Amino acid sequence: MDWRIADPVLRLLPRRFHVPPLGATPHEVLVTAGRSRLLRYTPAKAPFHRTPVLLVPSLVNRHTILDLVQGRSVAAHLRDAGFPTYLVDWGAPGPEDATTTLDDLLFDRLDTMVRRLRRDHGGPVTLVGYCMGGTLALVYASRRPEAVRNLILLATPVDFDHLGLLTRWARFEGFDVDDTVDTWGVVPPKIFQPGFVLLRPAVLTRKWVPFIQFATRPALLQAYLPLFRWATENVALPGEVLRAWVRDYFRRNGLVRGTLRADGAPVDLRALRAAVLNVIASEDHIVETASPLALAGLLAPNHDASILEFPMGHTDLTVGPEAMGLVWPQITTWLTDRDGPQEDE
């Protein structure tokens, strides 16, 4: 259900259940590139870590999954842990984005943001990529190895042979991605979101259960509503991005087979210089564990690469009940150990 439809319905609930604004942690817009923005989070006290952290969300949902509400914000957690913290808001594409490519997003918009942070902080950055954003961060860090000191991947697809029903859907002969892109230009969520629903069809009814139970379990509903809102605020995809994502990642499995090209050259994961932390949700119904685990076999020997695995679902890594108490303290410790000097390398 689109949020524009859901919102009037939810306003019929008692006032205490009204959804607070998402992404409300204090921030400023530091850079604008196309419809994308670089958000800088306002620290309550001066950061004491030197390497800036740039959060990179997926393209198919809003960036607020990394800054949901108070107490469930990855951005606020990192800011309060003393890291200069930034977040990419990819924005909602407009008609002018029908020809926008993945290279445009990575090596124009994201690269502009990273260069700004390197200039401001005097050294390479940490990228934290979530889901599709993790795959994009991985590609960027491979093609710009001098720019990225640390790379944290959250529920990140690597081997696209192992994404279950999503792989089958993307490779289905009846799915003509070229016709879809040529017809729509900018592809609305209603075209590709059903693929995610197919992964867990029962979600169509289960997502309404907390509303039925709200009289007896009000705390559950209050915790659920921000995530419900985020899940209904889907955004469109530039058609050329969808075409490349289906063709080069899902159908050709370019990262694993070594056929992927970006910014005019092959993507070689052995070129990575960044320390890598691969964070996996073992109960993830979207990114099955075999997909991110494939990364270990693609890196250079003796690469600084670690794995953290948690018995939770896809969004639990960022906004689940144990995210801030279990997941992110461990990530913060790993990151603190790899904080680097300010001098550019």
Side-chain angles (χ1 to χ4, degrees), residues 49-128:
H49 293 300
R50 290 166 292 191
T51 305
V53 176
L54 178 57
L55 301 166
V56 184
S58 174
L59 296 173
V60 297
N61 291 101
R62 295 296 308 277
H63 65 285
T64 48
I65 191 62
L66 297 170
D67 180 29
L68 196 66
V69 291
Q70 185 176 5
R72 300 165 73 187
S73 169
V74 171
H77 176 89
L78 291 168
R79 178 204 64 183
D80 294 344
F83 294 95
T85 302
Y86 303 83
L87 172 60
V88 178
D89 172 11
W90 292 114
E96 73 278 11
D97 286 306
T99 58
T100 296
T101 66
L102 273 174
D103 272 5
D104 293 331
L105 294 179
L106 289 180
F107 303 106
D108 181 4
R109 298 187 191 184
L110 181 61
D111 198 45
T112 296
M113 299 174 187
V114 171
R115 285 189 282 109
R116 172 63 185 269
L117 296 186
R118 293 181 70 191
R119 188 191 76 187
D120 289 356
H121 294 275
V125 306
T126 291
L127 293 183
V128 180

Side-chain angles (χ1 to χ4, degrees), residues 178-238:
D178 294 321
D179 181 64
T180 299
V181 170
D182 294 342
T183 299
W184 289 95
V186 174
V187 183
K190 65 183 180 180
I191 300 299
F192 54 84
Q193 283 297 331
F196 294 98
V197 174
L198 286 174
L199 299 178
R200 189 176 285 180
V203 74
L204 290 173
T205 54
R206 285 178 54 196
K207 69 180 181 180
W208 295 106
V209 171
F211 296 94
I212 299 171
Q213 296 177 330
F214 85 92
T216 57
R217 304 181 69 184
L220 176 65
L221 180 59
Q222 286 177 317
Y224 174 70
L225 283 174
L227 185 59
F228 176 84
R229 175 166 187 166
W230 170 81
T232 56
E233 291 185 325
N234 307 125
V235 293
L237 268 179

Side-chain angles (χ1 to χ4, degrees), residues 23 25-42 63 85-89 113 116-117 120:
T25 302
H27 61 268
E28 62 175 331
V29 178
L30 194 62
V31 173
T32 300
R35 295 199 177 208
S36 302
R37 307 181 301 162
L38 173 62
L39 310 182
R40 173 186 177 271
Y41 283 85
T42 308
H63 65 285
T85 302
Y86 303 83
L87 172 60
V88 178
D89 172 11
M113 299 174 187
R116 172 63 185 269
L117 296 186
D120 289 356

